[in-house]
Amino acid sequence: MKVIIDTNIVVSAAIADKNPEAVILFVIANSAFEWVVSAEILESYKLIAKVI
Protein backbone atom coordinates (compact mmCIF):
# COMPACT_ATOMS: atom_id res chain seq x y z
CA MET A 1 0.00 0.00 0.00
CA LYS A 2 1.34 3.41 -0.90
CA VAL A 3 1.27 5.92 1.94
CA ILE A 4 1.65 9.69 1.90
CA ILE A 5 2.24 11.21 5.33
CA ASP A 6 0.77 14.67 5.17
CA THR A 7 2.35 17.35 7.31
CA ASN A 8 -0.90 17.54 9.29
CA ILE A 9 -0.26 13.98 10.47
CA VAL A 10 3.25 14.93 11.61
CA VAL A 11 1.90 17.95 13.50
CA SER A 12 -0.87 15.87 15.10
CA ALA A 13 1.68 13.30 16.24
CA ALA A 14 3.82 16.05 17.74
CA ILE A 15 0.85 17.43 19.63
CA ALA A 16 -0.30 14.00 20.82
CA ASP A 17 2.91 12.49 22.11
CA LYS A 18 5.84 14.68 21.05
CA ASN A 19 7.22 11.96 18.74
CA PRO A 20 6.36 12.73 15.10
CA GLU A 21 9.36 10.72 13.92
CA ALA A 22 7.63 7.57 15.15
CA VAL A 23 4.92 7.97 12.50
CA ILE A 24 7.42 8.10 9.67
CA LEU A 25 9.60 5.35 11.12
CA PHE A 26 6.57 3.08 11.51
CA VAL A 27 5.74 3.42 7.81
CA ILE A 28 9.35 2.96 6.73
CA ALA A 29 9.80 -0.14 8.92
CA ASN A 30 6.58 -1.83 7.77
CA SER A 31 7.12 -3.70 4.50
CA ALA A 32 3.38 -3.55 3.74
CA PHE A 33 3.72 0.20 3.18
CA GLU A 34 5.54 2.16 0.51
CA TRP A 35 6.22 5.71 1.68
CA VAL A 36 5.54 8.17 -1.13
CA VAL A 37 7.12 11.56 -0.60
CA SER A 38 7.93 14.53 -2.79
CA ALA A 39 10.51 17.25 -2.46
CA GLU A 40 7.71 19.63 -1.50
CA ILE A 41 6.52 17.40 1.34
CA LEU A 42 10.07 17.01 2.63
CA GLU A 43 10.44 20.78 2.59
CA SER A 44 7.20 21.07 4.59
CA TYR A 45 8.57 18.56 7.12
CA LYS A 46 11.70 20.69 7.48
CA LEU A 47 9.68 23.87 8.04
CA ILE A 48 7.49 22.18 10.63
CA ALA A 49 10.51 20.67 12.40
CA LYS A 50 11.80 24.19 13.03
CA VAL A 51 8.53 25.14 14.72
CA ILE A 52 7.89 21.99 16.75
Side-chain angles (χ1 to χ4, degrees), residues 3-49:
V3 176
I4 298 172
I5 304 172
D6 184 74
T7 51
N8 291 325
I9 300 300
V10 175
V11 170
S12 294
I15 292 169
D17 66 6
K18 306 295 186 209
N19 193 5
E21 296 89 2
V23 175
I24 295 170
L25 293 175
F26 173 79
V27 172
I28 292 171
N30 191 328
S31 63
F33 299 125
E34 178 185 349
W35 182 31
V36 180
V37 66
S38 67
E40 292 84 1
I41 291 173
L42 286 175
E43 189 60 34
S44 292
Y45 290 167
K46 290 177 188 177
L47 291 172
I48 289 171

